[in-house]
Structure formats: structure tokens, C-alpha cells
């Protein structure tokens, strides 16, 4: 029987404490791409964060899942819901895929699995994603999944010595259902 958490390429699973080494790699991967300069973090901080996520409760539908390559079992990224507006029926999510695993379909499939759960099981009406305007790969991913640009927050984020625009992307439940089907085939 197929799982709601497994696609053709990925399996979404709970974060485990030993995932901390992959989280540290993902953080290193993001520096050249995003241009943001953060303070160095210790290995212990990554261990503590992974352990915290491994035992975290799903507080108000905010959670983080590991994205595992189905064929190899390797942790290739994370996906999660990090803000919710239960009363209005919206949620915001983020996804991170390690540099060596990008452009292989992992992100698209992980997002569809997450959205299917949030729309069909948690009964949300709308999904939001915030993307830096210069991140063409993420903008193309979300457009390809059926997200619509809903607005642009001009010079909203500051890093690398200057301000950057933030693009707000959105998808409604009926738009998702038409494109991806609420239930698995």
C-alpha cells in the first residue's frame, strides 16, 4: 500500500537526531546561493536543533520533515510548515534541498506531498511561499507547481550589504486539486 508520505523520488519522514550532519551541510550549501552572511554555528548547535526537531510536537500545524531520496535513503533536504493562520485557512512553508541534490525533482515532489497533506487532511484553503526575487530557480519551481505571484515586498530583506525584494507566491486548494489531485491515484 502506498504511503501519503512517499512519492516516486522522495519519502518524507520525521527528523532524527543523527540528521544534524546533513543540516550542517545544507547550511553550508546555502551561503553561496543566497549571499547571506550568518555567524558560524557549532556542530553542537546543529546536534541540538536536530534533537529538538526530532521530539517536537506538531504545534498548530507547524512542523519540519526530512526529505529522503527513495532510491538511496539519503537525506537530501527538509520541508516544513512554519506559519499558519488557522482561522483564515492559510499556511506558509519552506523547502531546502542540498546543493548536490538540486534539479532532480526532489523539491517539486516533496512540496506536492506536503501540500496534499495540508489541503486534504488539515483542510487549509491557501498556501503561501516567500521567495527572494533573485532566486530564479525557486521562482521557476513554484510557478511550475502552479503557484501565482501575489505580490512583491520591495527591498524587504537586507543581506550582503543591500536590500532585496521578496516575492510572495500563493496557491489555493482548488488550484492545487486541478493540477495535482487532492488524493493519490
Amino acid at each position: 500500500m502506498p504511503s501519503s508520505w512517499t512519492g516516486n523520488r522522495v519519502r518524507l519522514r520525521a527528523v532524527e537526531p543523527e540528521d544534524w550532519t546533513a543540516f550542517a551541510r545544507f547550511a553550508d550549501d546555502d551561503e553561496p546561493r543566497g549571499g547571506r552572511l550568518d555567524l558560524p554555528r557549532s556542530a553542537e548547535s546543529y546536534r541540538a536543533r536536530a534533537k529538538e526537531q526530532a521530539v517536537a510536537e506538531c504545534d498548530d500545524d507547524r512542523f519540519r520533515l526530512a526529505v529522503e531520496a527513495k532510491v538511496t535513503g539519503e537525506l537530501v533536504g527538509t520541508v516544513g510548515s512554519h506559519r499558519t493562520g488557522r482561522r483564515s485557512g492559510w499556511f506558509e512553508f519552506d523547502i531546502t534541498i542540498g546543493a548536490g541534490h538540486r534539479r532532480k525533482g526532489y523539491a517539486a515532489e516533496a512540496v506536492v506531498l506536503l501540500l496534499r497533506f495540508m489541503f486534504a487532511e488539515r483542510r487549509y484553503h491557501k498556501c503561501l511561499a516567500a521567495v527572494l526575487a533573485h532566486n530564479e530557480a525557486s521562482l521557476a519551481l513554484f510557478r511550475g507547481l502552479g503557484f501565482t505571484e501575489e505580490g512583491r515586498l520591495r527591498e524587504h530583506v537586507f543581506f550582503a550589504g543591500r536590500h532585496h525584494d521578496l516575492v510572495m507566491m500563493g496557491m489555493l486548494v482548488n488550484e492545487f486539486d486541478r493540477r495535482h489531485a487532492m488524493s493519490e491515484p
Side-chain angles (χ1 to χ4, degrees), residues 53-134:
Q53 289 178 348
V55 297
E57 297 292 323
C58 179
D59 181 30
D60 195 28
D61 288 331
R62 293 186 308 262
F63 55 88
R64 172 126 337 260
L65 297 171
V67 179
E68 190 176 83
K70 195 169 149 185
V71 172
T72 64
E74 183 180 3
L75 181 63
V76 297
T78 66
V79 65
S81 168
H82 60 86
R83 290 181 59 210
T84 61
R86 292 285 299 168
R87 182 175 230 164
S88 298
W90 62 267
F91 70 98
E92 190 172 339
F93 80 100
D94 63 83
I95 183 153
T96 298
I97 300 293
H101 305 287
R102 294 179 187 143
R103 292 180 169 61
K104 296 181 181 178
Y106 297 142
E109 193 168 81
V111 169
V112 168
L113 291 170
L114 175 72
L115 269 58
R116 186 172 286 131
F117 172 73
M118 294 298 281
F119 286 142
E121 299 300 324
R122 293 296 201 233
R123 299 181 184 179
Y124 283 94
H125 176 73
K126 182 177 184 176
C127 176
L128 294 169
V131 183
L132 290 169
H134 67 270

Side-chain angles (χ1 to χ4, degrees), residues 13 30 37 47 64-65 105 107 119 122 128 138 142 146 174 176:
R13 63 166 175 80
D30 279 344
L37 180 61
R47 277 192 284 277
R64 172 126 337 260
L65 297 171
F119 286 142
R122 293 296 201 233
L128 294 169
S138 291
F142 293 135
N174 61 331
F176 176 83

